[in-house]
Amino acid sequence: MATDHDKATAGIADGGEAHHLTIRRPRLDRDGLFLFGRRYDSQSVTLGSTELRALVRDRWIAVDVLGEYILYIHIDWSGQ
């Protein structure tokens, strides 16, 4: 758990737009090797109706990835 000192001195680098794929379902036995190159760990996120309604209302979903990274999910309504 982060302390107040950690929060006050933390800096987060913006890594830009993440690479992404649309897949039918995760295949944990193969995805670590084939989707984006060798990976050694993974997590999944299931969005429920509350999160989907928030996305439709132009909100962002912040996901804690392995306690180390943050993934932000947002809907781009421009169709680009």
Side-chain angles (χ1 to χ4, degrees):
M1 181 60 84
T3 66
D4 288 337
H5 179 266
D6 293 334
K7 293 175 186 176
T9 61
I12 297 177
D14 179 6
E17 183 72 16
H19 296 284
H20 61 278
L21 294 173
T22 301
I23 60 175
R24 188 177 324 156
R25 62 181 161 72
R27 294 185 54 185
L28 300 178
D29 59 329
R30 297 181 49 131
D31 288 349
L33 181 60
F34 294 107
L35 285 180
F36 298 109
R38 173 64 68 192
R39 299 296 191 272
Y40 299 97
D41 205 350
S42 67
Q43 287 185 303
S44 62
V45 174
T46 301
L47 301 179
S49 59
T50 301
E51 291 86 8
L52 294 176
R53 281 193 299 272
L55 287 169
V56 168
R57 291 192 317 267
D58 203 31
R59 301 299 303 259
W60 292 69
I61 304 295
V63 180
D64 177 6
V65 181
L66 297 170
E68 186 172 354
Y69 302 101
I70 297 174
L71 171 68
Y72 294 101
I73 301 171
H74 187 249
I75 295 176
D76 177 5
W77 293 105
S78 70
Q80 297 179 2

